[in-house]
Amino acid sequence: LGLVYQRREMYDDAVAFFRRALAIGPNLLEAYLEMGRAHWLGGDREAAVEAWRAGAAASKFNPWAKRCDGLRAVAEAGGDPMRGEGTAVAS
């Protein structure tokens, strides 16, 4: 449901569903990536970086964790991870 709300630009609701998904299944690392995206698109850049940082810290070998780390690095370098700046989205 988080993805549905995100696509409808209802970012607060999307974040709430991603948090619930992570509470039920903390290994759902894609939820960290999408929660960060919802925060970013909703204008909360700090929360987005924190979500991506948490996703990256959850597992260093998981592909979703690596994507979280890439998006975090682009955001912290001043880029826009939603526009594909840097290498974060290409991984």
Side-chain angles (χ1 to χ4, degrees):
L1 285 172
L3 290 172
V4 171
Y5 282 108
Q6 183 176 331
R7 288 190 182 110
R8 294 179 71 195
E9 297 180 5
M10 300 171 70
Y11 302 119
D12 292 334
D13 293 328
V15 168
F17 277 103
F18 291 130
R19 286 181 203 262
R20 287 177 63 190
L22 286 165
I24 294 168
N27 62 332
L28 301 173
L29 300 188
E30 183 180 1
Y32 283 112
L33 182 124
E34 295 298 339
M35 182 170 55
R37 185 174 302 192
H39 278 304
W40 186 272
L41 295 172
D44 191 351
R45 308 295 201 228
E46 276 187 41
V49 170
E50 285 304 314
W52 293 326
R53 185 175 286 123
S59 171
K60 67 172 145 176
F61 300 111
N62 186 296
W64 292 109
K66 291 177 183 178
R67 290 180 182 181
C68 283
D69 194 43
L71 292 173
R72 179 207 50 80
V74 171
E76 286 181 342
D80 185 353
M82 298 304 105
R83 292 182 181 238
E85 294 177 5
T87 60
V89 180
S91 59

